[in-house]
Amino acid sequence: MKLNIALLAGDGIGPEVIDQAVKVSDAVAKKYNHEIKWTPALTGAAAIDAVGEPYPDETHEVCANADAVLFGAIGHPRFDNDPSAKVRPEQGLLKMRQKLGLFANVRPTFTFPSLIDKSPLKRERIEGTDLIILRELTGGVYFGERGRKDDGDTAFDTMTYQRFEVERLARKGFDMAMKRGKKLCCVDKANVLEASRLWRETVQGLEKEYPEVEVSYEFVDAVAMRLIQWPKGYDVIITANLFGDILTDEASVISGSMGLMPSSSLGSNVSLYEPIHGSYPQAAGKDIANPLATVLSAAMLFEDFELQDEAKAIRDVVNKSLAEGVVTEDLADGGKSYKTSEVGNWLAKNIQ
């Protein structure tokens, strides 16, 4: 297979972890006789510095014409610490999601046998956890009407959803549940929010089309508690943009490190694959960042192109690196640690 992949390294540790994912992907492509064409493009603070825009038109063209997008991270402290900044790296991410139509964020949460005791949660609570949170990505409060009034003393952000936005995400959730444990949980705040009531009635209307799927409805505050108490009770969770943003970060600690969890953002024509961690600017250029989440995001990319053996090869070599202690300092527990680039080299070599 020939794949044309847009490569958006972004900011902070993004370029370093992306480099390792490219090494591993190229090793997989060589082993299984595929051809990958990588097309780099600017985004985030790097793009602002270069052209004044966090998601330039040239970058959009590269992404729109690609088969998939592999993305690192965006963000820089000089923007975080300046509330008056008119242009911000994160605006590029929102613009990219909207222009590419990336409406569904897929966040798997699972545990690694060799790292089970690194989680802040007890082994008996998390062992065997295997869930997916499907977050709506192009609607809700992040894209609704916003502004200030009363001379700037009152601020508002509006959570707006259209039925079709909820339905297309819910169908993705039902389809995933059918391939997994056939359990779907719709997470909302329908006791308070009208937008959540639209979510609930839309999902209820789809239940008859998926009679094999056991559907439940829970309030987001209850799920925030139960994810910690009983994560094994969930299979596929679907939820709105804001709720998903919070719950996915909460769920990420179950594995023991945000540096381990991959994600994808699905669109109708092109999808994007990225680690769930941020740009971690304090570590940028030091060759110490954990690249495994980005490498596992590449595995999700291969899987979505029905290249199951290739995806499994990546997951297997990542598990091998964890079991053999070929890890960056965040996972080394004071023992021997490896540089970001060394981990990438080891993974690529062991794929071959």
Side-chain angles (χ1 to χ4, degrees):
M1 180 181 285
K2 291 185 177 180
L3 291 172
N4 174 26
I5 301 178
L7 198 63
L8 274 57
D11 306 322
I13 62 171
E16 295 164 69
V17 295
I18 279 285
D19 282 350
Q20 314 321 311
V22 168
K23 289 177 190 175
V24 175
S25 299
D26 284 343
V28 167
K30 183 176 181 181
K31 182 173 183 177
Y32 291 92
N33 297 312
H34 303 304
E35 183 181 327
I36 300 177
K37 178 188 175 187
W38 303 99
T39 307
L42 291 171
T43 191
I48 294 173
D49 290 343
V51 298
E53 290 285 337
Y55 183 63
D57 291 342
E58 294 82 358
T59 296
H60 178 66
E61 286 301 310
V62 169
C63 294
N65 292 318
D67 298 313
V69 181
L70 188 62
F71 177 68
I74 61 170
H76 195 282
R78 75 173 184 271
F79 297 97
D80 298 338
N81 299 326
D82 181 7
S84 65
K86 300 298 183 188
V87 181
R88 297 177 175 277
E90 292 76 15
Q91 292 169 345
L93 189 55
L94 296 178
K95 186 177 178 183
M96 176 166 55
R97 289 171 181 169
Q98 200 164 39
K99 290 188 74 172
L100 292 176
L102 304 175
F103 66 89
N105 181 232
V106 183
R107 286 273 196 101
T109 296
F110 48 87
T111 55
F112 299 85
S114 59
L115 296 180
I116 198 86
D117 293 320
K118 290 187 183 295
S119 173
L121 303 180
K122 293 179 179 178
R123 171 186 285 263
E124 57 267 27
R125 290 193 182 274
I126 63 169
E127 199 163 28
T129 295
D130 181 11
L131 64 92
I132 286 178
I133 300 178
L134 195 59
R135 166 191 169 193
E136 199 287 321
L137 209 54
T138 55
V141 71
Y142 292 170
F143 290 92
E145 184 182 353
R146 69 189 60 190
R148 295 280 186 106
K149 56 185 181 180
D150 301 330
D151 293 326
D153 291 336
T154 301
F156 61 91
D157 297 273
T158 310
M159 180 182 284
T160 303
Y161 270 110
Q162 298 179 70
R163 191 178 300 273
F164 84 90
E165 293 176 303
V166 181
E167 183 173 330
R168 67 184 177 182
L169 184 93
R171 287 191 181 279
K172 285 281 186 187
F174 275 110
D175 290 342
M176 285 183 179
M178 284 294 293
K179 296 174 182 176
R180 292 172 48 89
K182 297 186 177 178
K183 289 169 62 181
L184 181 78
C185 179
C186 176
V187 176
D188 58 36
K189 195 62 178 167
N191 58 335
V192 177
L193 299 176
E194 192 62 35
S196 283
R197 288 189 272 274
L198 174 65
W199 269 76
R200 192 166 287 212
E201 70 182 50
T202 302
V203 177
Q204 287 172 340
L206 294 173
E207 283 190 42
K208 61 183 180 296
E209 297 181 35
Y210 301 88
E212 294 178 57
V213 178
E214 176 189 338
V215 184
S216 61
Y217 299 87
E218 297 186 29
F219 297 141
V220 63
D221 43 351
V223 174
M225 175 181 67
R226 289 173 186 154
L227 265 178
I228 299 302
Q229 291 180 316
W230 191 47
K232 289 183 282 189
Y234 295 107
D235 180 26
V236 177
I237 290 173
I238 57 172
T239 193
N241 204 341
L242 174 62
F243 302 152
D245 193 3
I246 296 166
L247 291 176
T248 50
D249 276 5
E250 180 190 9
S252 71
V253 305
I254 292 171
S255 71
S257 170
M258 283 187 75
L260 294 171
M261 289 292 105
S263 77
S264 64
S265 298
L266 309 179
S268 11
N269 298 315
V270 65
S271 296
L272 177 145
Y273 302 83
E274 61 176 312
I276 70 166
H277 58 67
S279 59
Y280 192 17
Q282 300 90 336
K286 296 180 181 177
D287 205 18
I288 60 172
N290 187 342
L292 296 184
T294 314
V295 171
L296 289 169
S297 297
M300 292 181 74
L301 186 158
F302 281 108
E303 195 166 40
D304 284 352
F305 282 97
E306 303 296 330
L307 300 173
Q308 307 294 346
D309 290 343
E310 291 82 341
K312 183 177 184 299
I314 294 176
R315 288 192 294 267
D316 286 349
V317 79
V318 166
N319 277 318
K320 184 179 179 184
S321 76
L322 292 170
E324 296 187 14
V326 183
V327 294
T328 45
E329 63 180 34
D330 59 308
L331 298 176
D333 264 353
K336 178 175 172 54
S337 65
Y338 291 76
K339 298 293 187 182
T340 308
S341 54
E342 291 174 333
V343 173
N345 292 339
W346 189 94
L347 294 170
K349 181 180 177 182
N350 280 269
I351 284 279
Q352 289 294 337

